[in-house]
Amino acid sequence: MLILGIESSCDETGAAIIKDGRYLLSNVVASQAEIHDRYGGVVPEVASRQQLTTIIPVLETALDQAGCGWENIDAIAATYGPGLAGSLLVGLTVGKAVAMAYNLPFLGVNHLEAHIYANWLRGRIEGASNESEHSDWEYQEGDPIFPSMCLVISGAHSELVLVRGHGQYELLGRTRDDAAGEAFDKVARILGLSYPGGPAIQKAAQHAQEELEQQGKPATQALNAFRLPRSWLRGTYDFSFSGLKTAVLHLAEGAVSEQNVHHTRSSENAGKQVSQYTRMGLRAAQRGGANVELLAASFQEAVVDVLAVKTRLAAQEYHVKQVVLAGGVAANVSLRARLERELRPLNIPLKYPAIEFCTDNAAMIASAAFFHLLRGEQHGLDLDVEPGLSLPFSKK
Ligand code: KG4
Ligand code: ZN
């Protein structure tokens, strides 16, 4: 079965053609990151206008790259929430329009669920044949295994979800304030790093560690060069990142006292220097700011610490067969490595999507749609956007 997926929930425009929910014929993503970098974050009005100009070329490219015509497509799927209303409207409307024009089944997809389904995606295959090679679609070698503990971490969500089967979600914990990705983005902005913040902070942190290694010091010194707070919220699986963000802000503004800084040679006077960078306009700090990099590394470590430990605890308590990462922050290499280390002694495998499927893309939309269509579900063309949509949680 070939599904054309469309994604337009925020600042990425995506179209993809996926076979049997897993195999890629094409996956096209047009990112607006460069445009929003100027503002340090997504400007909704700009995002939706940009979606409008990009959607048709992206759709045509996806068909071209797959070597497909409309006659090969079996169903259309588009994100209907959560996300920015204006951006969602563009992809959903185009999706419904082509479904009507070509008389194809249509399915609206929950963007968060699609992030989870990114874990079903495999590599590329050639050829537009929509004949399925598998008679049994229930489970294929390499698919995620249920029950799994899924950490959904994106720009707007941070949730620990017990996944018992296809479409069976139990919410165990969520962020009480900022989402993990949002914290990365806001801290990057504070430090004068580029948007989106996650990759920029990861890069700065890696650089800080390489520098220390070159000086013959343990790279791990970078991870606690600054003593940053962790909100453990013990007894719950909830998260909180706003205190951490504020701590970075205070350091960056120079509200740093001696005891906040561990005296590794390279982090001496770190607070003072960061404060100068703040006044200079922090973007300049990126060029010469070793201490900005140390602060980025310490911040990333604080986020990774909490996410990894709480996920491991939940995985232990619920005796899951696998831990699964989903969402843009799942691209973070430190998080992946740390979780592997946490889970290894417990013999719980960790699964995460390839980097290109972690951040917003349409391949994951088509994958999620496939499993709904298998269950005989589809939507009418009166489906509207739902900017505040959450995962369809069942009661515990
Ligand atoms: O899932 P996503 O593409 O969009 C939403 O649905 O929100 O996630 C975007 C978020 C951004 O906050 C971005 O900074 C973060 O994912 N992100 C990362 C990394 N790559 C993207 N965060 C940490 N490390 C990364 N390598
Ligand atoms: Zn997303």
Side-chain angles (χ1 to χ4, degrees):
M1 188 195 281
L2 292 192
I3 301 179
L4 168 69
I6 299 173
E7 155 62 29
S8 75
S9 64
C10 188
D11 60 338
E12 256 100 27
T13 317
I17 295 168
I18 302 297
K19 184 171 180 171
D20 295 346
R22 299 173 177 88
Y23 304 96
L24 250 81
L25 270 76
S26 63
N27 183 34
V28 181
V29 182
S31 171
Q32 307 173 13
E34 262 180 44
I35 298 170
H36 298 287
D37 186 25
R38 266 180 257 156
Y39 309 102
V42 176
V43 183
E45 176 68 19
V46 176
S48 56
R49 280 165 185 263
Q50 202 61 31
Q51 291 283 0
L52 209 52
T53 54
T54 330
I55 189 86
I56 301 298
V58 164
L59 207 63
E60 285 171 347
T61 311
L63 284 163
D64 263 14
Q65 288 185 0
C68 267
W70 289 105
E71 68 282 4
N72 302 111
I73 303 294
D74 296 302
I76 308 286
T79 311
Y80 75 107
L84 302 171
S87 289
L88 285 166
L89 257 177
V90 175
L92 184 66
T93 308
V94 168
K96 291 194 293 188
V98 288
M100 187 162 89
Y102 296 99
N103 199 22
L104 290 167
F106 174 78
L107 198 95
V109 173
N110 180 318
H111 179 89
L112 293 169
E113 185 173 45
H115 271 304
I116 298 175
Y117 275 90
N119 284 285
W120 268 261
L121 293 168
R122 323 269 172 106
R124 279 160 216 277
I125 51 161
E126 299 294 325
S129 149
N130 48 3
E131 269 180 29
S132 295
E133 276 129 36
H134 303 276
S135 52
D136 177 10
W137 288 340
E138 270 303 296
Y139 177 81
Q140 285 177 29
E141 187 69 31
D143 281 352
I145 314 160
F146 302 123
S148 64
M149 187 56 61
C150 185
L151 178 64
V152 185
I153 31 177
S154 69
H157 292 83
S158 295
E159 285 161 10
L160 252 179
V161 181
L162 175 63
V163 186
R164 292 200 189 272
H166 285 290
Q168 295 171 34
Y169 308 108
E170 281 176 28
L171 179 65
L172 302 183
R174 61 172 15 141
T175 183
R176 295 186 182 178
D177 38 60
D178 292 347
E182 188 180 358
F184 270 97
D185 293 339
K186 286 178 175 168
V187 163
R189 195 169 164 175
I190 291 168
L191 297 180
L193 301 171
S194 57
Y195 171 85
I201 285 182
Q202 176 173 298
K203 197 167 151 208
Q206 267 163 354
H207 196 246
Q209 295 186 62
E210 284 161 17
E211 291 270 297
L212 283 171
E213 268 176 349
Q214 274 170 16
Q215 294 165 26
K217 295 176 188 158
T220 46
Q221 259 186 20
L223 310 182
N224 47 22
F226 291 88
R227 223 175 270 152
L228 292 172
R230 278 104 166 117
S231 289
W232 289 107
L233 301 172
R234 289 184 207 282
T236 77
Y237 288 119
D238 283 352
F239 303 106
S240 164
F241 298 108
S242 74
L244 172 61
K245 173 195 65 192
T246 307
V248 175
L249 180 66
H250 285 167
L251 280 166
E253 284 177 349
V256 63
S257 59
E258 283 297 297
Q259 69 268 24
N260 282 74
V261 182
H262 286 290
H263 285 278
T264 63
R265 190 176 262 274
S266 42
S267 70
E268 260 165 37
N269 296 323
K272 214 165 99 206
Q273 284 197 33
V274 172
S275 131
Q276 277 166 6
Y277 292 135
T278 317
R279 283 197 298 276
M280 279 156 50
L282 275 164
R283 203 158 276 271
Q286 201 184 350
R287 275 174 253 131
N291 293 314
V292 166
E293 290 179 344
L294 286 172
L295 193 41
S298 304
F299 161 77
Q300 178 176 268
E301 177 64 9
V303 176
V304 165
D305 215 6
V306 175
L307 289 176
V309 169
K310 297 200 90 153
T311 306
R312 191 249 300 151
L313 288 171
Q316 272 176 299
E317 182 180 344
Y318 287 87
H319 305 287
V320 293
K321 295 201 172 122
Q322 198 170 46
V323 168
V324 169
L325 296 180
V329 185
N332 190 275
V333 290
S334 296
L335 175 66
R336 292 170 171 206
R338 172 66 185 276
L339 254 175
E340 299 262 14
R341 285 204 303 279
E342 292 280 335
L343 297 172
R344 202 171 300 130
L346 304 172
N347 270 329
I348 303 176
L350 175 67
K351 191 162 177 59
Y352 41 77
I355 300 268
E356 66 173 318
F357 304 134
C358 285
T359 45
D360 290 350
N361 65 87
M364 66 184 194
I365 304 300
S367 177
F370 173 75
F371 291 96
H372 280 281
L373 290 164
L374 280 189
R375 301 201 286 272
E377 297 166 21
Q378 71 183 70
H379 282 116
L381 296 182
D382 55 349
L383 181 72
D384 200 356
V385 297
E386 279 193 44
L389 190 66
S390 63
L391 276 170
F393 294 118
S394 54
K395 295 227 162 48
K396 265 200 266 179

